């Protein structure tokens, strides 16, 4: 069995006109090879308005949530926010998806 692909990361500025929530969606689209309009709504994972205001507020240090089969990890990096994506699923040697969630 192959291990999950390594994390990918990008740094997203929290100032200016670009909304951090949209930058996250664009990063997930790029990393999954999916058009942005084909992704599920970010709102199903987290409220984008709350996310944007949180990332722009003083005192933010980190946040983690799941979106489109990825764990999105946000960490304070001074005037920017570091966004990392971690795959939530792995593929075995045949390319079939292997459930990585714990089972009971």
């Amino acid at each position: 069995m192959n291990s999950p692909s390594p994390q990918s990361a990008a740094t997203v500025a929290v100032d200016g006109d670009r909304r951090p929530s949209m930058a996250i969606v664009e990063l997930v689209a790029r990393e999954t090879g999916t058009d942005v309009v084909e992704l599920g709504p970010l709102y199903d994972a987290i409220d984008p308005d709350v996310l944007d205001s949180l990332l722009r507020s003083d005192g933010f240090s980190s946040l983690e949530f799941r979106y489109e089969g990825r764990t999105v990890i946000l960490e304070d990096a001074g005037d920017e926010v570091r966004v990392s994506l971690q795959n939530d699923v792995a593929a075995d040697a045949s390319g079939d998806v292997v459930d990585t969630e714990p089972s009971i």
Side-chain angles (χ1 to χ4, degrees), residues 4 40 52 56 89 102:
D52 290 340
R56 289 188 169 113
V89 295

Side-chain angles (χ1 to χ4, degrees), residues 57-75:
S57 67
D58 291 334
F60 168 76
S61 63
S62 66
L63 174 69
E64 185 175 307
F65 63 94
R66 293 185 57 175
Y67 176 61
E68 290 293 315
R70 303 287 192 276
T71 298
V72 180
I73 304 161
L74 302 118
E75 299 172 291

Side-chain angles (χ1 to χ4, degrees), residues 23-81:
I24 291 166
V25 171
E26 291 168 355
L27 177 63
V28 171
R30 185 179 75 226
E31 293 299 315
T32 61
T34 306
D35 191 286
V36 172
V37 298
E38 294 176 7
L39 293 175
L42 182 61
Y43 195 89
D44 288 349
I46 192 166
D47 184 325
D49 293 329
V50 172
L51 176 65
D52 290 340
S53 65
L54 176 66
L55 297 182
R56 289 188 169 113
S57 67
D58 291 334
F60 168 76
S61 63
S62 66
L63 174 69
E64 185 175 307
F65 63 94
R66 293 185 57 175
Y67 176 61
E68 290 293 315
R70 303 287 192 276
T71 298
V72 180
I73 304 161
L74 302 118
E75 299 172 291
D76 179 32
D79 291 336
E80 297 180 325
V81 174

